[in-house]
Amino acid sequence: MENFRPTRYTLTNVASGREFEDEGWMLEDPQAEGPTLVRTRYAARQLNLRGEEYGIYRFCDWLPIRRMLCGSHAPVTYKSVGLAERLGLKNLYITFSGYFPKIGAGMTTCSFKETEAYNVCARRAEDEQRVLVVASAGNTARAFAKVCSDNRIPLLLSVPEDNIKALWFEAPLDPCVKLIAPQSGGDYFDAIHLSDMALRSPRFYAEGGAKNVARRDGMATTVLSAATTIGEIPDYYFQAVGSGTGAIAAWEANQRLIEDGRFGNKVMKLMVSQNVPFVPMYDAWRAGSREMLPYDADRARADAEAIDAKVLSNRKPPYGICGGLYDALRATDGDILVATNEEAREARKLFEELEGVDIYSAAGVALATLIQAVEAGRVDRDKIVMLNVTGGGEECFQRGKELWYLKPHRVFPLDPDPASVAAVLDELFA
């Protein structure tokens, strides 16, 4: 691992096909004529899988990184017995990102957001002096906080005050990690708004969300885990989505695996899901619209508060952008499904009963919609189904531990004064 050399790759404008060099922390094509994602194209056309001791970096051929950080873990894929039998599926594979020692899953934040954080931070130049800014509904913040604390990377988090209970850790964090929060009643969009104010200063730089290829390609390791375990590309892919970035990443991984040539040429059907009543992408998809439909801010905040899976409450997802979720669903003949809190809770109970570990609400939403699809005859029971369990094992990991919680250094009103935000940040990062 000590002899690792930065991965060789170029960036491609999804809309135009223009290929160009990554000059650093590039989030978009400077010559783009309209909104579009950029995508990595790796020098290694075939994936050389490293040993398990590499953690997430066992997939480093297809990760846009400059170095490897310590402490990472890769998603683990295994063939289900209990849940598969209950659903009547002959080839149900579960890709688990969380803490489940029985199967070798060791993500101590219990969320697949670790796949993002370890790769975004490994893309960062070691001599970078600016402060990384991450807005989150909870799990992403916990993952970035852990990785940045362990590796002494300055980080500013923006998380809604109502969600900061998600910021638990087994030990105090390094003071390089700071937290600000929009006040109670705010949602993820308010956290983004607050972080955007910080980004007005040259002292800070944006993590980039879906635009950051390191984030997407990190999330794509769930599909790489599945394909390399199964030996072929799955037929169906089930995951709950807030932004849809994980599903976009899955589609991109699918294309790389086809080009690799050793895993078949199947196009996975993306079956993604949202938590009722917060279903803006579902509404747009059902209306046949590439553009998101109008969504009153007060109603959106109320809907976000009503759902169990708070991490799915993104009001401004990369849905309609070229290369975004709309395009991914069209290209894979996919669909967006929905589940209620009650359905997701029942699914979570079923998973723990049959698979032996607790899972998060978002994963419960994904499982609930898989159950719906099977019962409705929308899934061929003989085909390979991949269920992306994006978080679990929290109860298992926390058992017997005294936890430490990250508290906000300042809570701001939902429409904060930019000058007051700037003054607080100057004080925090003096």
Side-chain angles (χ1 to χ4, degrees):
M1 293 178 69
E2 292 78 6
N3 297 324
F4 173 76
R5 295 180 180 179
T7 307
R8 292 172 52 216
Y9 66 93
T10 55
L11 298 176
T12 302
N13 179 316
V14 176
S16 69
R18 187 180 92 87
E19 192 169 347
F20 57 100
E21 295 295 326
D22 183 1
E23 297 175 0
W25 198 258
M26 297 186 76
L27 302 176
E28 54 193 17
D29 178 3
Q31 297 183 23
E33 296 182 357
T36 179
L37 294 178
V38 296
R39 187 177 293 163
T40 43
R41 182 168 178 77
Y42 292 100
R45 295 293 191 262
Q46 288 194 324
L47 178 65
N48 175 30
L49 190 65
R50 268 71 171 180
E52 292 183 4
E53 69 274 14
Y54 280 76
I56 194 76
Y57 305 119
R58 64 194 316 235
F59 304 108
C60 64
D61 280 357
W62 290 355
L63 296 172
I65 57 176
R66 300 167 184 259
R67 55 189 173 131
M68 295 184 183
L69 304 176
C70 294
S72 73
H73 294 271
V76 175
T77 299
Y78 68 97
K79 189 172 185 179
S80 169
V81 176
L83 187 59
E85 185 176 323
R86 178 68 65 91
L87 298 183
L89 296 174
K90 293 184 179 179
N91 292 290
L92 172 61
Y93 286 85
I94 295 169
T95 298
F96 190 92
S97 298
Y99 188 77
F100 193 12
K102 179 181 176 181
I103 65 165
M107 295 183 185
T108 57
T109 66
C110 305
S111 167
F112 92 137
K113 297 300 182 179
E114 280 193 33
T115 66
E116 304 172 26
Y118 274 104
N119 290 293
V120 168
C121 292
R123 186 189 182 200
R124 171 186 176 273
E126 289 192 69
D127 60 356
E128 176 63 72
Q129 299 299 309
R130 296 173 299 169
V131 178
L132 182 65
V133 177
V134 174
S136 168
N139 287 348
T140 299
R142 190 167 67 254
F144 272 90
K146 170 186 165 47
V147 176
C148 289
S149 175
D150 289 351
N151 293 278
R152 300 296 303 276
I153 297 171
L155 173 69
L156 175 65
L157 295 171
S158 178
V159 178
E161 185 180 25
D162 290 334
N163 295 13
I164 59 174
K165 59 183 177 294
L167 300 182
W168 54 264
F169 302 90
E170 59 179 325
L173 299 181
D174 187 272
C176 68
V177 177
K178 312 287 188 185
L179 171 65
I180 56 177
Q183 70 182 29
S184 181
D187 64 1
Y188 177 46
F189 183 72
D190 295 303
I192 293 173
H193 178 60
L194 185 58
S195 71
D196 285 344
M197 290 190 172
L199 292 168
R200 296 177 186 180
S201 166
R203 176 181 292 177
F204 302 94
Y205 69 112
E207 179 270 327
K211 292 183 177 181
N212 193 324
V213 292
R215 174 180 273 216
R216 300 206 312 275
D217 292 359
M219 299 168 100
T221 59
T222 57
V223 174
L224 303 185
S225 169
T228 54
T229 300
I230 301 165
E232 61 181 292
I233 299 164
D235 296 284
Y236 300 89
Y237 172 93
F238 280 80
Q239 185 204 321
V241 293
S243 68
T245 307
I248 298 167
W251 174 44
E252 293 172 338
N254 191 168
Q255 294 172 69
R256 291 191 187 101
L257 288 165
I258 291 173
E259 187 176 3
D260 181 299
R262 296 172 297 172
F263 301 94
N265 59 3
K266 287 185 291 191
V267 176
M268 291 188 305
K269 184 185 286 287
L270 299 182
M271 305 290 278
V272 301
S273 49
Q274 294 207 280
N275 192 179
V276 175
F278 191 95
V279 292
M281 288 190 288
Y282 170 82
D283 288 340
W285 180 249
R286 282 290 174 270
S289 173
R290 172 182 282 275
E291 303 305 320
M292 298 290 288
L293 307 181
Y295 199 3
D296 176 75
D298 289 337
R299 182 191 156 204
R301 289 189 181 108
D303 289 348
E305 178 59 30
I307 62 175
D308 284 354
K310 297 289 190 287
V311 295
L312 304 182
S313 58
N314 189 331
R315 271 193 268 159
K316 299 284 185 177
Y319 171 78
I321 189 171
C322 185
L325 184 63
Y326 179 86
D327 287 339
L329 293 172
R330 290 289 299 271
T332 65
D333 192 28
D335 201 1
I336 303 181
L337 312 172
V338 296
T340 64
N341 287 339
E342 291 71 25
E343 289 170 328
R345 290 168 192 166
E346 287 301 313
R348 293 173 69 190
K349 289 178 185 176
L350 186 66
F351 192 95
E352 186 164 11
E353 172 193 334
L354 299 176
E355 298 295 329
V357 69
D358 60 286
I359 60 173
Y360 282 149
S361 296
V365 169
L367 176 54
T369 56
L370 170 58
I371 294 169
Q372 293 173 14
V374 170
E375 291 177 347
R378 299 190 60 189
V379 173
D380 185 330
R381 294 173 187 263
D382 294 329
K383 298 289 188 181
I384 298 173
V385 178
M386 173 188 169
L387 174 62
N388 189 357
V389 173
T390 51
E394 182 176 300
E395 293 175 13
C396 177
F397 179 75
Q398 292 185 357
R399 193 172 297 123
K401 291 184 174 70
E402 185 174 344
L403 301 176
W404 182 87
Y405 288 83
L406 180 62
K407 302 296 184 186
H409 292 82
R410 183 65 62 90
V411 175
F412 291 94
L414 299 185
D415 189 17
D417 173 47
S420 67
V421 173
V424 168
L425 296 181
D426 284 343
E427 178 184 334
L428 285 179
F429 293 96

